[in-house]
């Protein structure tokens, strides 16, 4: 049976999925890796894990690799990698092709996830979509008329580094007031701490006193239990997200904005404020056409999207 | 000889250009129109003017129409028009086709101008470009891999309504802190007036005392003559533009950002601050790839781009 391998190279682990031509995940594995291991060594291990996931009759037609960092996807070249500096300036495509002996597509992890959601996610059938992934950082990918937006050097889609407030807080990228500076993990924690000084916080304050660490998960959990400070922080995050998404709605006029990443599970808490803010800020004609959706593929998005990129590049049918 | 007609429908006048297959303007005419005239009547007059511009051996292969407003370019349908409300909900394509009897392409004026710059402007050969037009409003168009970004309903490219400051001044669109609210005409005038209260203004103050009206042109003229208040206003406008363009560079990773509209002639005064701000704010990899350029086509951009859209839709060679 025809299958595609999708490989999601994260900071500390690698996710490997065996994906059907229709984008169903037939098997998945996770490999804990040492970021300082070189790419050849890591790909030999990926190859072994993939071998154990494949069935006897599986015929691997292509491999897709999604990796954080700046990637020239025409050449499959990783030029800069935040989590694996020793991988910089290598041909991921060359290494993967040697390991697997089949066609390999390589792209940025957020682009792969956007493509996965486009091809197999909750926005299936939509041809214009914006994908935002919320985690430590805020990443993004854009599909226009069914094609990934890549830009001149495949650096397009850095939606987390759209400035939403000229003189806002410093962002890791060196700029100020980026969307990521507000709704990336450290921005969220800063917002919650500020609200804890102003509002009552029976849950969060108690949990922190008990020695728990403040995390986005904890904030959303407290908001779900109606902790006033946590609710204010989540509402504020929803507004910042809404401001950013409103700009994206005016820029791209998409049919769907898909939110992925760790926070996606709590999208129900953010969504009302996001939607209210978009209605206040974006063009009504464009607002009417767009839906805000949670990621359907979740943790599989990058691997499934990478596999689909390989499949579509090969122009293979179902 | 094969030619294409490009028609730029503005608020009070209509520009008509006879365009060669290579995008050279062979002849141009302007028609003063009454915005309350219906589209059929206006297109009969456009037809007459075009007839007078065409040579005996000219063979009109196609017509392109660029018009302000919300346009469904698949159907050639104008659904909303800021300057010509009586034209709303009409098939511009149908009307133009009846007038000229040839294939007609219809699109938003800023999209046409972006396409004109892409095909025939200073960024010729560039496949990823962002076009921003500065005037009363701030419009935009984006070309990705040689194709206009249209979005689900052809409303994409509203770059002037990207929010650059969450709680900034009210914008005509109903939102706050849009790029247009800072660098559209009324934003520019507000900025200049503010600086005139703070800084010396030997030119501007004198000209206003002499009864001249404050306009963007006057501000740039004073800045060119080193009027301190005008220079501060222009520098501030350059910074706001830089903030917006930095976001667009991170989002689109374009090879060129082309600035058109009335202010483009003064781009040399804005450019240093724009470029400084982009370098401070956008990803260095993306900054290295992008050039900030003035429009080459100027007032012809929309007509030439519309003509080229018609030509390219017909897949005709040179």
């Amino acid at each position: 049976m025809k299958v595609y391998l999708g490989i999601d190279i994260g900071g500390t682990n690698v996710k490997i999925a065996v994906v059907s031509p229709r984008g169903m995940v037939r098997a998945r594995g996770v490999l804990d890796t040492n970021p300082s291991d070189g790419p050849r060594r890591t790909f030999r291990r990926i190859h072994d894990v993939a071998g154990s996931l494949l069935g006897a009759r599986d015929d691997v037609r292509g491999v897709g690799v999604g990796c954080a960092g700046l990637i020239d996807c025409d050449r499959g070249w990783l030029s800069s990698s935040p989590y694996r500096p020793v991988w910089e300036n290598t041909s991921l495509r060359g290494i993967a092709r040697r390991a697997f002996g089949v066609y390999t597509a390589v792209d940025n992890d957020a682009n792969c996830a956007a493509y996965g959601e486009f091809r197999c996610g909750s926005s299936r059938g939509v041809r214009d979509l914006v994908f935002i992934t919320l985690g430590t950082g805020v990443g993004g990918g854009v599909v226009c008329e069914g094609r990934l937006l890549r830009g001149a050097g495949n650096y397009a889609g850095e939606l987390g580094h759209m400035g939403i407030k000229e003189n806002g807080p410093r962002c890791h990228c060196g700029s100020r007031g980026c969307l990521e500076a507000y709704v990336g993990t450290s921005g969220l924690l800063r917002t919650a701490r500020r609200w804890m000084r102003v509002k009552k916080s029976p849950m969060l304050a108690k949990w922190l006193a008990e020695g728990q660490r403040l995390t986005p998960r904890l904030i959303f959990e407290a908001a779900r239990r109606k902790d006033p400070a946590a609710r204010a922080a989540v509402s504020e995050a929803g507004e910042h997200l809404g401001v950013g998404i409103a700009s994206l709605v005016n820029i791209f006029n998409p049919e769907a904005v898909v939110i992925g990443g760790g926070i996606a599970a709590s999208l129900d808490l953010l969504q009302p404020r996001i939607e209210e803010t978009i209605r206040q800020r974006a063009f009504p004609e464009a607002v009417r056409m767009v839906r805000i959706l949670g990621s359907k593929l979740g943790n599989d998005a990058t691997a499934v999207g990478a596999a689909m990129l390989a499949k579509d590049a090969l122009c293979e049918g179902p």
Side-chain angles (χ1 to χ4, degrees), chain A residues 67-295:
Chain A
C67 183
L70 293 177
I71 287 171
D72 175 340
C73 61
D74 289 334
R75 297 191 297 146
W77 185 265
L78 179 67
S79 58
S80 148
S81 165
Y83 306 123
R84 296 175 183 263
V86 298
W87 288 38
E88 284 180 8
N89 295 313
T90 48
S91 169
L92 283 188
R93 170 177 290 162
I95 290 166
R97 212 183 241 161
R98 263 192 297 279
F100 290 100
V102 294
Y103 174 82
T104 304
V106 180
D107 210 329
N108 175 288
D109 53 354
N111 274 358
C112 289
Y115 199 73
E117 293 291 340
F118 158 63
R119 288 286 269 102
C120 315
S122 41
S123 56
R124 227 159 137 166
V126 158
R127 302 203 26 95
D128 293 274
L129 93 97
V130 170
F131 175 78
I132 298 174
T133 169
L134 299 173
T136 310
V138 176
V142 182
V143 175
C144 303
E145 297 188 36
R147 293 161 57 89
L148 267 176
L149 178 76
R150 291 214 164 93
N154 204 38
Y155 304 144
E158 290 289 355
L159 310 182
H161 301 283
M162 176 173 48
I164 60 168
K165 193 164 182 180
E166 251 184 22
N167 300 310
R170 274 261 166 241
C171 180
H172 296 118
C173 75
S175 182
R176 284 186 170 279
C178 295
L179 184 57
E180 176 170 309
Y182 290 99
V183 299
T185 296
S186 64
L188 267 179
L189 302 187
R190 194 185 55 238
T191 304
R193 284 198 196 98
R194 179 163 39 73
W195 281 110
M196 285 177 71
R197 289 194 293 270
V198 182
K199 290 213 171 213
K200 284 188 181 152
S201 177
M203 312 279 161
L204 269 187
K206 180 171 151 257
W207 292 338
L208 296 187
E210 288 169 6
Q212 293 201 56
R213 251 182 59 227
L214 188 65
T215 60
R217 181 187 296 260
L218 209 69
I219 297 168
F220 281 98
E221 185 54 39
R224 201 172 286 291
R225 301 199 197 174
K226 307 206 187 302
D227 180 278
R231 283 168 67 100
V234 166
S235 171
E236 186 180 322
E239 184 171 359
H240 292 309
L241 265 171
V243 170
I245 295 173
S247 290
L248 294 170
V249 165
N250 283 345
I251 292 172
F252 288 107
N253 179 210
E255 287 169 88
V257 174
V258 181
I259 314 276
I263 286 173
S266 308
L267 183 61
D268 61 313
L269 294 172
L270 289 164
Q271 194 147 358
R273 193 62 190 273
I274 293 176
E275 293 187 343
E276 182 194 343
T277 307
I278 296 172
R279 276 196 303 273
Q280 287 166 353
R281 290 187 170 253
F283 281 101
E285 293 82 0
V287 172
R288 248 177 260 133
M289 305 187 83
V290 71
R291 287 181 305 157
I292 311 296
L293 301 170
S295 158

